[in-house]
Amino acid sequence: MNTGTVAWVDLNADLGEGETLRPSDLAILDCVTSVNLSCGFHAGNLTVIEASLVAALERGVTTGAHVSYRDRQGFGRRPQDVPAPRLRADIVEQYGILAGIAATAGGSVPYIKPHGALYNRMGVDEAVAAVVVDAVRECGVRVLVAQAGTVVDRLAIQAGLEVIAEAFADRGYLADGRLVPRSDPDAVFSDPQVVAQRAISLVTRGGIEASDGSWLPVACKTLCVHGDTPSAWESARETRMALEAGGVTVRSFAPPS
């Protein structure tokens, strides 16, 4: 795994998860270079998804499909055991929803990033990872956003997909590279200055301090700031400012068409 420093990085956020497009969402879009939009299965609605996509297009922000388990009650963060055919169909359906909205607005959806419990599961479960990879290919998409060194990373590369290595400036890491469970107190960071400094470490030092104090190498082509965390837009702003001040170019890995 290549975890060296990089000259550029993409900054992404998860959006389209509210009932309306809020001023804070627009502020986030002014800072990021790609945005992962909910497709309605874990949060959001068609109105806010369309408004978010149009706002992203107006700003030149690349749009990806944030697909999830069909779990609005649990915000897509509850573990699920979904039969493979249904999971594949659900992913394809979600991508189709967003791609259809994008086509009407004159845009495109060049990548897929799974959300929440599905994202975590595909990193460790070969059967789930294989379904995700098959679904991405069925959608006609060539780019998958995922953590480097995980099961889905390996299977996707074997299938000929491009995997964009994602790191999380606002999430804690365990020593084995997994994210700290959200039930733990050190799982999520909401202080914008802390998030920005963690981003700098991930990009310029190639890693981060894990929850046990050990050094964890982390490969990173895109940094995520979760749109539902407190002070998310401030974290996005401070992160971008810190990266650019450190000489890192912030740009999309897949410029919008």
Side-chain angles (χ1 to χ4, degrees), residues 10-17 29 32-40 42 49 52-53 56-57 61-68 91 94-99 102 107-115 141 143-145 252-256:
D10 173 70
L11 183 60
N12 80 72
D14 305 332
L15 290 182
E17 296 173 330
L29 283 171
V32 300
T33 49
S34 67
V35 60
N36 323 302
L37 289 183
S38 168
C39 302
H42 72 277
I49 293 168
S52 301
L53 188 143
L57 288 176
V61 174
T62 304
T63 302
H66 204 28
V67 301
S68 72
I91 293 172
Q94 290 174 82
Y95 180 80
I97 290 170
L98 188 62
S108 63
V109 182
Y111 73 93
I112 289 175
K113 173 190 167 181
H115 162 79
V141 176
V143 180
L144 175 69
V145 171
S252 174
F253 55 81

Side-chain angles (χ1 to χ4, degrees), residues 20-249:
T20 62
L21 183 62
R22 302 162 297 185
S24 59
D25 297 327
L26 294 175
I28 289 173
L29 283 171
D30 287 333
C31 299
V32 300
T33 49
S34 67
V35 60
N36 323 302
L37 289 183
S38 168
C39 302
F41 274 36
H42 72 277
N45 56 57
L46 291 178
T47 299
V48 73
I49 293 168
E50 181 178 7
S52 301
L53 188 143
V54 169
L57 288 176
E58 291 173 346
R59 290 161 173 78
V61 174
T62 304
T63 302
H66 204 28
V67 301
S68 72
Y69 288 128
R70 193 186 293 267
D71 177 29
R72 292 183 65 88
Q73 183 177 359
F75 199 71
R77 287 177 175 157
R78 299 184 300 183
Q80 307 279 323
D81 287 314
V82 181
R86 179 181 147 196
L87 178 58
R88 184 183 299 107
D90 282 352
I91 293 172
V92 173
E93 179 182 346
Q94 290 174 82
Y95 180 80
I97 290 170
L98 188 62
I101 294 172
T104 300
S108 63
V109 182
Y111 73 93
I112 289 175
K113 173 190 167 181
H115 162 79
L118 178 57
Y119 185 99
N120 293 332
R121 182 76 173 268
M122 72 179 187
V124 297
D125 187 316
E126 186 152 344
V128 171
V131 172
V132 170
V133 170
D134 286 346
V136 171
R137 296 179 66 190
E138 185 174 339
C139 291
V141 176
R142 304 303 304 170
V143 180
L144 175 69
V145 171
Q147 286 182 275
T150 59
V151 172
V152 74
D153 178 31
R154 172 174 55 82
L155 293 184
I157 291 173
Q158 290 175 354
L161 300 180
E162 178 183 3
V163 179
I164 302 298
E166 183 175 41
F168 298 88
D170 59 2
R171 290 296 313 276
Y173 281 86
L174 299 173
D176 63 2
R178 292 178 298 140
L179 298 177
V180 173
R182 283 183 173 267
S183 56
D184 291 2
D186 56 350
V188 180
F189 297 92
S190 58
D191 183 325
Q193 296 295 329
V194 172
V195 174
Q197 289 307 307
R198 290 174 65 83
I200 287 292
S201 178
L202 286 162
V203 175
T204 66
R205 300 178 64 201
I208 198 79
E209 184 178 291
S211 58
D212 66 353
S214 63
W215 179 254
L216 177 69
V218 179
C220 174
K221 286 186 179 178
T222 183
L223 279 170
C224 177
V225 175
H226 288 85
D228 66 316
T229 56
S231 305
W233 78 267
E234 292 97 332
S235 291
R237 179 192 62 196
E238 293 298 320
T239 295
R240 179 150 191 172
M241 290 174 58
L243 289 168
E244 292 179 337
V248 177
T249 298

